[in-house]
Amino acid sequence: MAAHLDPRLLRGFVTVAEELHFTRAAVRLHVAQQALSRDVRRLERELGAELFVRTTRQVTLTPDGERLLPHARRVLHAQDELLAAFHQARPLLVDLNSPGLVTPRRVLHEARELAPRHELMARYESGLTGAAGELLAGRLDASFGRFAGLDPALRAGLDHQPVRFEPMAVVLPEDHRLAARESVPLAALAGESVYAGAGNPRTPEWTGLARLLFEGRGIEIAPPAPLAVGEEEFQRIMARTRNPILAVVGFPALASTVVRPLVDPVPLSPVSLVWRKGLTHPAFDALRRAAARLAAEMGWLRRPAGTWTPAGDDVFMASHG
């Protein structure tokens, strides 16, 4: 048996043991499946034991694999604690999607109050799908968005905590036929093409939510627009297309536009705090506590009568990472 074991090999073993599937484990670790398989075989050689039974249909732990698993977890936990202790100066990098979104900004502000000795830095990745790759690669620590809308392969490497059912709105040109209303019934948008990020590879979870909301209501998703970087460019492109924009209540109005809440029913966007499985950081607990505190104090996870949420999201919003 080898005198020293590379912790990377143990992490690969534990991830496969948890997933019982090499492809899903590789996605969680952000490595190629072939590389993960090589690491597991190397660990087996170094330990002189077979850890998994592999067939074309399933992967299961051997008795030696079962025996190793709790020891490997303890080693990795100790390693994570050691690294966290020596990297306390590293900021916790929190993606707020875009500067105008209220919910992520409030959670971050609350977390800074709870952990004043630590640095929590905002980032803006535009959408949860775009942020997910950064989370899995370790270049970002947390983000916000519709967890159910992520590709299952991305979700496999992530955890989440439900934060809010956020009321949705529509951004309208100030001379639009519906702009004078205080709120906009969904039925009034029939015949409109509404921009919901179609074609943006960073926001398919948002486009998917719009598709579910618009289905059967005669509302079209506006075709892809040129991908704009920065608020000024986005305003310019939207001014040219003049399409209404699907948003959330509290979204800041762009130049020459108004924001109107949607009603009859009130559509709710499911928002979770999302992070990489196994994340260890001294400020991360404060971020989770801030999200939980605000959700409880503000009633963010209550769904009043007369609201709409995607049925498939319920199981995720009822769970806690």
Side-chain angles (χ1 to χ4, degrees):
M1 181 184 295
H4 302 284
L5 288 176
D6 185 340
R8 187 188 82 252
L9 305 184
L10 291 176
R11 196 171 297 278
F13 160 73
V14 168
T15 307
V16 175
E18 290 173 348
E19 296 290 342
L20 294 179
H21 194 285
F22 274 82
T23 300
R24 290 197 298 267
V27 170
R28 268 182 61 178
L29 294 166
H30 210 63
V31 299
Q33 181 180 339
Q34 296 86 344
L36 177 59
S37 296
R38 285 196 300 270
D39 282 349
V40 170
R41 287 195 297 269
R42 177 183 161 191
L43 180 62
E44 289 178 320
R45 286 196 304 271
E46 293 190 3
L47 293 176
E50 185 180 17
L51 303 175
F52 296 102
V53 176
R54 309 161 178 83
T55 71
T56 56
R57 299 177 62 87
Q58 62 180 357
V59 176
T60 57
L61 281 164
T62 65
D64 281 332
E66 295 277 7
R67 188 158 58 96
L68 174 63
L69 185 56
H71 298 289
R73 281 176 168 152
R74 285 197 293 271
V75 169
L76 294 175
H77 181 69
Q79 182 195 36
D80 289 342
E81 286 188 331
L82 184 152
L83 292 175
F86 283 89
H87 289 81
Q88 289 190 12
R90 181 181 76 79
L92 186 76
L93 302 179
V94 184
D95 169 43
L96 307 186
N97 296 157
S98 69
L101 296 182
V102 172
T103 299
R105 191 170 70 246
R106 287 195 64 178
V107 173
L108 179 61
H109 178 76
E110 179 82 3
R112 286 170 173 163
E113 294 291 322
L114 292 174
R117 293 185 297 106
H118 297 292
E119 186 65 72
L120 292 87
M121 296 289 294
R123 293 290 186 270
Y124 303 98
E125 294 292 335
S126 299
L128 182 57
T129 297
E134 298 298 291
L135 292 171
L136 292 169
R139 292 187 291 266
L140 190 67
D141 295 310
S143 185
F144 293 84
R146 181 179 168 237
F147 190 70
L150 290 177
D151 185 283
L154 293 174
R155 285 203 306 264
L158 301 171
D159 272 332
H160 81 114
Q161 175 179 319
V163 174
R164 186 178 186 183
F165 289 104
E166 191 161 27
M168 298 171 72
V170 64
V171 181
L172 301 166
E174 59 186 5
D175 58 352
H176 190 275
R177 63 182 179 87
L178 299 174
R181 300 189 181 213
E182 291 186 2
S183 59
V184 175
L186 279 167
L189 286 174
E192 295 278 355
S193 290
V194 179
Y195 179 74
N200 185 342
R202 307 186 72 79
T203 60
E205 73 285 348
W206 182 251
T207 307
L209 179 64
R211 188 170 289 111
L212 292 170
L213 177 61
F214 296 166
E215 187 176 10
R217 292 189 164 96
I219 309 170
E220 299 292 328
I221 291 181
L227 187 58
V229 178
E231 183 177 328
E232 183 177 341
E233 281 296 281
F234 183 72
Q235 289 187 19
R236 185 179 65 82
I237 293 297
M238 290 298 101
R240 290 183 60 184
T241 65
R242 292 187 54 78
N243 291 123
I245 304 166
L246 188 66
V248 292
V249 170
F251 188 84
L254 307 173
S256 302
T257 69
V258 296
V259 180
R260 297 290 182 258
L262 291 169
V263 295
D264 300 330
V266 174
L268 302 176
S269 170
V271 178
S272 286
L273 171 65
V274 183
W275 65 92
R276 180 179 66 262
K277 285 183 177 178
L279 173 64
T280 301
H281 190 285
F284 178 54
D285 179 64
L287 188 69
R288 293 193 64 181
R289 285 189 288 122
R293 178 184 295 184
L294 283 169
E297 291 178 355
M298 306 300 296
W300 280 352
L301 290 173
R302 289 200 300 267
R303 285 181 289 181
T307 60
W308 172 94
T309 56
D313 289 53
D314 290 346
V315 64
F316 294 100
M317 292 301 285
S319 66
H320 295 264

